[in-house]
């Protein structure tokens, strides 16, 4: 069996889904297994994007035969560079899609040639003389090639390059709107043509222009790149470049297998693309098919509504459970709601701040699937690897704010990615787990506060509040069959006055330790205040009580020697026992206190 790793950044869900469809066509009927580690919004430089990239640190190169890298929207790539370096050190083959990394082989469309054709079309077919360029990150290889083609085409046609008409941004829809506003402030927002490095930015630019009352192609011409579905059905439809993503996915796995087998070592593989000249540049019929638009909007709206309902239901379901035995049952119900074949959560025992970077997946001991608790040895639940039923698995980081929660794994299916279904599920899952952990932490804090409320800080014994909360309940549970020993530290004032309060505290701690050791069967051991202590335990007779008191004195004598007390530590003790409910708890306490006081007076005499 061969295992291929694929890392992706989902700047465009259709792009990734199309690549996977092509890969699936190629590997169906083979023994190849594909593990996809996906991150969202890694190009925007946000904390969310940084935490998403933590998923890239998980895969072990020893597990995989080769790696596909489809993260061409990433600007800063420290995780990816380190990952590629590690894989190369282990002798693994690396093939990137669309953007070349670290000089390794790359497969993709000829960006330079296709963008040159789009630019030349604007100049020769439509007579454009002033052209704006709206690109992606300056360090992005695809953007660099498209900008080089734009620049060279202008030079070939003797059109001066105006630096003010060039902007490099982040490939996002919002970048198109921002670019329009920036050029508007300079009076450069209505050139003959705006050439955008992708459809997202072209759509954003059109939206901003239309809000000002300007429309393409009447007021300006515009083009994109990628030939996205949104661009095709928009009015006007976007002139763009069809990159043949399904074919690209198919060819990428074929080229990687050739590299693994040693039959190919070409540095660059080009796949076929073609220009789609459409309405936004003035080609084609400007009267957009309104029925197609409405059909798309209706389909997206219904799908979004349905997925929102399912995600809300699954979120409510998970919030009603906790990290524990009931989790698999909740996950199984989530699979039914979301139509998932299986689902696994690999969770930190306690979420910590920072990156998701466990060097060994065993550092994530809490593993749950929809079939029950599980374990992992190489990121995949052990129960899933027996039959290798799932040919493609999708791994995603679980995190909330700066806290890494772990990761989740789901088998890929065609309905998983469109309309943001998968991202919404992972985000909701992260939020839900964070709420569960916050609730657990709140319970722990409440328990700690409760312990502070009922415990004596110096000795760790119960205080009077603890006595009042627990003693009466215990007395009722035992049906009055209890014993009680009331203790008073002898000469505590002398310890404090002549030798200091530190020695006095040592004496108090000694009595408390003696009670914990000798009276271990007494569940209620209380420091009533100052030098007075009380123990309440299950019924024993007077002979055993006298034996316990004698053991207490022996223990205190040894304690005095070990801690070199200035004089022997002793305690006066009075006891009572009860076999029924004839006396109240308060009456028994008073009687034990009275007997202790009589013994103390006898010692003084």
């Amino acid at each position: 069996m061969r295992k291929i790793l694929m890392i992706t950044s989902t700047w465009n869900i259709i792009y990734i889904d199309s690549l996977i469809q092509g890969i699936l066509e190629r590997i169906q009927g083979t023994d190849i297994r594909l593990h996809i580690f996906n991150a969202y919004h890694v190009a925007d430089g946000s904390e969310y994007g940084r935490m998403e990239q933590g998923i890239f640190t998980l895969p072990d190169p020893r597990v995989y035969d080769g790696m596909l890298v489809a993260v061409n929207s990433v600007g800063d790539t420290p995780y990816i560079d380190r990952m590629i370096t590690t894989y190369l050190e282990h002798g693994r083959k690396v093939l990137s899609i669309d953007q070349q990394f670290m000089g390794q082989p790359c497969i993709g469309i000829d960006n330079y040639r296709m963008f040159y054709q789009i630019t030349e079309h604007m100049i020769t077919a439509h007579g454009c003389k002033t052209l704006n360029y709206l690109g992606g990150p300056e360090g992005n290889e695809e953007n660099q090639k498209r900008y080089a083609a734009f620049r060279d085409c202008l030079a070939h046609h003797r059109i001066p390059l105006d630096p003010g008409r060039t902007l490099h941004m982040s490939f996002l829809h919002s970048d198109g709107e921002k670019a329009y506003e920036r050029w508007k402030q300079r009076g450069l927002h209505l050139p003959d043509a705006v050439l955008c490095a992708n459809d997202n930015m072209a759509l954003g630019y059109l939206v901003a222009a239309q809000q000002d009352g300007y429309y393409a192609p009447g007021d300006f011409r515009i083009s994109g790149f990628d030939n996205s579905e949104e661009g095709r059905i928009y009015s006007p439809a976007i002139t763009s470049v069809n990159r043949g993503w399904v074919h690209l996915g198919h060819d990428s796995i074929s080229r990687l297998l050739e590299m693994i087998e040693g039959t190919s070592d070409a540095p660059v593989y080009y796949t076929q693309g073609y220009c789609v000249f459409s309405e936004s540049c003035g080609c084609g019929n400007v009267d957009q098919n309104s029925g197609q638009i409405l059909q798309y909007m209706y389909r997206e709206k219904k799908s979004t509504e349905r997925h929102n309902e399912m995600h809300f239901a699954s979120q409510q379901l998970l919030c009603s459970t906790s990290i524990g035995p009931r989790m698999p049952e909740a996950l199984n119900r989530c699979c039914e709601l979301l139509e998932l074949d299986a689902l696994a959560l690999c969770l930190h025992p306690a979420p910590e701040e920072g990156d998701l970077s466990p060097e060994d997946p065993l550092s994530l001991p809490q593993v749950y699937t929809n079939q029950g608790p599980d374990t992992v040895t190489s990121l995949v639940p052990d129960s899933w690897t027996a039959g290798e039923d799932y040919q493609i698995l999708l791994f995603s980081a679980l995190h909330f704010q700066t806290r890494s929660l772990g990761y989740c794994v789901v088998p890929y299916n065609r309905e998983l990615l469109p309309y943001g279904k998968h991202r919404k599920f992972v985000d909701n899952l992260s939020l839900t787990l964070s709420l569960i952990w916050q609730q657990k932490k709140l319970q722990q804090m409440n328990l700690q506060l409760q312990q502070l409320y009922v415990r004596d800080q110096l000795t760790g014994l119960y205080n009077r509040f603890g006595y009042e909360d627990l003693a009466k309940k215990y007395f009722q549970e035992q049906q009055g069959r209890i014993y009680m020993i009331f203790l008073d530290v002898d000469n505590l004032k002398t310890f404090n006055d002549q030798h200091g309060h530190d020695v006095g505290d040592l004496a108090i701690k000694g009595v408390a330790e003696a009670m914990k050791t000798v009276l271990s069967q007494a569940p209620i051991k209380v420091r009533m205040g100052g030098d007075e202590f009380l123990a309440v335990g299950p019924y024993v007779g007077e002979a055993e009580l006298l034996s316990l008191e004698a053991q207490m004195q022996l223990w205190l004598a040894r304690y005095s020697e070990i801690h070199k007390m200035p004089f022997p530590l002793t305690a006066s003790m009075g006891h009572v026992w009860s076999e029924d409910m004839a006396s109240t708890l308060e009456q028994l306490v008073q009687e034990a206190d009275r007997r202790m006081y009589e013994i103390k007076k006898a010692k003084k005499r």
Side-chain angles (χ1 to χ4, degrees):
M1 180 182 298
R2 290 168 293 179
K3 286 187 177 180
I4 303 298
L5 166 69
M6 183 177 184
I7 59 173
T8 63
S9 60
T10 314
W11 60 276
N12 183 318
I13 289 173
I14 302 300
Y15 168 67
I16 297 298
D17 188 53
S18 299
L19 290 178
I20 297 172
Q21 287 306 304
I23 292 172
L24 187 58
E25 288 179 9
R26 174 62 180 81
I27 68 175
Q28 274 184 335
T30 72
D31 66 346
I32 296 172
R33 297 293 180 267
L34 180 72
H35 290 177
I36 303 170
F37 290 76
N38 181 70
Y40 289 100
H41 272 220
V42 295
D44 59 5
S46 66
E47 187 65 34
Y48 178 92
R50 189 185 72 83
M51 293 300 295
E52 282 284 297
Q53 287 191 77
I55 196 69
F56 296 151
T57 66
L58 285 177
D60 184 345
R62 294 167 296 184
V63 175
Y64 299 97
D65 298 291
M67 177 168 69
L68 289 173
V69 182
V71 289
N72 64 340
S73 66
V74 178
D76 188 22
T77 60
Y79 286 103
I80 298 160
D81 291 345
R82 288 199 299 267
M83 195 173 180
I84 292 174
T85 300
T86 302
Y87 275 67
L88 293 175
E89 289 172 351
H90 281 80
R92 301 302 188 258
K93 298 298 182 180
V94 177
L95 176 66
S96 60
I97 300 175
D98 286 325
Q99 178 177 350
Q100 193 168 36
F101 287 92
M102 300 179 63
Q104 294 305 301
C106 174
I107 185 170
I109 195 172
D110 188 339
N111 284 275
Y112 181 93
R113 184 171 65 87
M114 300 312 301
F115 209 86
Y116 195 102
Q117 287 182 21
I118 287 276
T119 308
E120 189 160 61
H121 175 79
M122 291 290 193
I123 296 170
T124 59
H126 299 293
C128 297
K129 299 297 183 184
T130 57
L131 298 95
N132 291 8
Y133 177 81
L134 174 55
E138 287 191 81
N140 180 273
E141 182 184 351
E142 288 193 303
N143 178 64
Q144 290 172 348
K145 290 180 178 178
R146 294 171 196 175
Y147 182 56
F150 173 81
R151 199 175 52 231
D152 291 351
C153 189
L154 262 59
H156 176 76
H157 290 279
R158 303 176 186 272
I159 298 175
L161 179 68
D162 182 352
R165 293 186 178 276
T166 296
L167 288 174
H168 294 282
M169 305 185 84
S170 300
F171 288 129
L172 303 178
H173 185 284
S174 58
D175 291 332
E177 299 179 66
K178 293 174 185 175
Y180 176 84
E181 294 301 326
R182 289 189 193 178
W183 276 326
K184 180 181 176 182
Q185 291 172 4
R186 306 175 197 167
L188 305 175
H189 58 303
L190 297 175
D192 293 337
V194 180
L195 287 97
C196 302
N198 75 349
D199 289 353
N200 275 346
M201 294 188 291
L203 288 167
Y205 199 91
L206 282 169
V207 168
Q210 288 170 359
Q211 289 174 348
D212 268 358
Y214 300 112
Y215 298 88
D219 298 302
F220 61 95
R221 303 176 196 277
I222 191 167
S223 66
F225 207 100
D226 297 333
N227 198 36
S228 66
E229 183 178 12
E230 294 89 338
R232 292 196 303 272
I233 63 93
Y234 194 78
S235 181
I238 305 293
T239 288
S240 191
V241 174
N242 188 312
R243 299 166 66 173
W245 287 331
V246 174
H247 185 69
L248 177 58
H250 182 283
D251 283 0
S252 67
I253 200 76
S254 294
R255 297 291 81 76
L256 181 60
L257 291 173
E258 290 174 1
M259 291 167 58
I260 293 170
E261 294 162 2
T263 59
S264 176
D265 59 356
V268 179
Y269 304 94
Y270 285 121
T271 56
Q272 186 175 1
Y274 57 91
C275 295
V276 179
F277 301 114
S278 195
E279 298 163 1
S280 68
C281 73
C283 297
N285 181 11
V286 181
D287 294 328
Q288 176 69 32
N289 185 342
S290 58
Q292 185 182 10
I293 298 175
L294 292 173
Q295 185 181 29
Y296 172 83
M297 293 177 63
Y298 177 78
R299 185 174 74 247
E300 187 176 58
K301 179 175 182 295
K302 294 301 291 182
S303 180
T304 300
E305 288 175 352
R306 180 168 176 268
H307 294 153
N308 285 343
E309 290 172 1
M310 290 192 299
H311 288 306
F312 178 76
S314 61
Q315 188 180 73
Q316 294 297 105
L317 177 64
L318 286 172
C319 280
S320 67
T321 186
S322 59
I323 307 298
R326 292 184 55 214
M327 178 59 76
E329 181 183 344
L331 294 180
N332 190 53
R333 182 64 182 134
C334 285
C335 286
E336 294 174 357
L337 287 169
L338 300 173
E339 300 175 355
L340 300 175
D341 295 329
L343 169 61
L345 303 183
C346 304
L347 309 174
H348 290 299
E352 301 292 341
E353 291 191 4
D355 297 339
L356 176 66
S357 55
E359 296 179 1
D360 184 343
L362 293 178
S363 64
L364 296 168
Q366 292 184 307
V367 181
Y368 299 95
T369 73
N370 55 305
Q371 298 300 317
D374 212 325
T375 55
V376 293
T377 51
S378 57
L379 300 182
V380 180
D382 291 337
S383 63
W384 290 12
T385 59
E388 295 289 348
D389 296 329
Y390 308 116
Q391 192 160 27
I392 300 180
L393 293 177
L394 186 58
F395 296 75
S396 302
L398 298 173
H399 57 92
F400 184 73
Q401 295 178 342
T402 59
R403 293 193 178 275
S404 169
L405 308 175
Y407 65 93
C408 72
V409 193
V410 294
Y412 172 79
N413 67 64
R414 187 64 199 274
E415 297 300 319
L416 193 63
L417 291 178
Y419 309 108
K421 179 179 178 180
H422 176 259
R423 179 181 178 179
K424 188 172 292 183
F425 168 66
V426 173
D427 284 348
N428 279 342
L429 191 56
S430 293
L431 177 60
T432 302
L433 289 172
S434 177
L435 291 173
I436 291 173
W437 261 307
Q438 287 177 12
Q439 185 180 30
K440 183 178 180 180
K441 187 174 181 180
L442 184 60
Q443 290 171 346
Q444 292 172 342
M445 292 176 63
N446 286 335
L447 182 61
Q448 291 172 354
L449 288 173
Q450 184 181 7
Q451 291 297 316
L452 289 173
Y453 174 72
V454 300
R455 293 282 181 181
D456 174 61
Q457 291 187 358
L458 180 62
T459 64
L461 301 179
Y462 290 116
N463 56 24
R464 277 190 171 273
F465 294 115
Y467 165 77
E468 292 172 0
D469 283 349
L470 300 172
K472 289 182 180 179
K473 182 180 178 182
Y474 180 72
F475 184 66
Q476 295 292 331
E477 290 173 350
Q478 295 294 114
Q479 297 181 342
R481 290 180 57 79
I482 64 167
Y483 78 80
M484 189 177 291
I485 299 178
F486 207 106
L487 302 91
D488 187 280
V489 182
D490 294 333
N491 304 308
L492 182 62
K493 189 174 187 303
T494 304
F495 279 119
N496 286 326
D497 292 348
Q498 295 184 12
H499 304 283
H501 284 277
D502 287 345
V503 177
D505 288 347
L506 191 62
I508 291 172
K509 290 178 182 178
V511 174
E513 291 301 319
M515 292 175 68
K516 292 175 185 176
T517 304
V518 179
L519 306 179
S520 58
Q521 291 184 341
I524 299 175
K525 292 178 277 288
V526 185
R527 184 185 180 194
M528 299 295 282
D531 56 1
E532 294 184 336
F533 296 82
L534 177 69
V536 183
Y539 168 79
V540 294
E542 184 172 21
E544 190 168 347
L545 287 173
L546 290 171
S547 174
L548 290 173
E549 290 178 356
Q551 293 175 52
M552 286 280 293
Q553 298 293 9
L554 288 172
W555 200 97
L556 292 175
R558 289 195 297 271
Y559 181 86
S560 300
E561 293 175 1
I562 293 170
H563 293 276
K564 298 179 181 180
M565 303 289 286
F567 52 85
L569 174 61
T570 61
S572 298
M573 289 174 265
H575 61 256
V576 295
W577 67 95
S578 171
E579 297 186 60
D580 52 36
M581 306 284 288
S583 300
T584 65
L585 184 68
E586 290 77 10
Q587 289 170 337
L588 292 172
V589 172
Q590 290 172 7
E591 179 61 18
D593 184 21
R594 185 190 67 77
R595 293 184 182 184
M596 179 276 297
Y597 185 67
E598 290 297 328
I599 292 170
K600 198 172 189 70
K601 282 198 302 182
K603 283 184 178 182
K604 288 181 179 180
R605 287 196 298 269

